[in-house]
Amino acid sequence: MKPDPPVKEQQRAAALYFRDEWQPNVEKVRFTQDGSRGGLGAPWRVNAIATVEGGEYYVIIGPDSGPAFVGGTGEPPEAPTPAPHLPLTVVYSDGTSEVIE
């Protein structure tokens, strides 16, 4: 098994996968830890707080797997059809950030 890419690359990929495949209205993803693999053969995952239409949702996301919504009802937020090209702010676990158009 080859080593994982750097944490920041994994986090960026996870944020984009979350937006593109699961929650197109996400405005911000703030990572609360570096992320890791849960065990042998497990996918890389990371805890984050996703902001959708002003509400914050605790999620566990990865670049190749669906999200887990934790806390509250454990359900993803309902969201209307997204506006085209909604910018996404990503705040990495090291405190740096970027806006992805």
Side-chain angles (χ1 to χ4, degrees), residues 2 25 29 38 40 47 51 79 82 92:
K2 69 180 191 175
N25 286 339
V29 175
L40 185 61
N47 290 18
T51 305
Y92 299 103

Side-chain angles (χ1 to χ4, degrees), residues 13-34:
L16 290 173
Y17 187 75
F18 178 69
R19 179 190 69 181
D20 295 345
E21 297 296 325
W22 300 98
Q23 194 57 247
N25 286 339
V26 65
E27 302 154 15
K28 181 179 183 179
V29 175
R30 181 170 53 90
F31 293 99
T32 60
Q33 61 172 252
D34 286 347

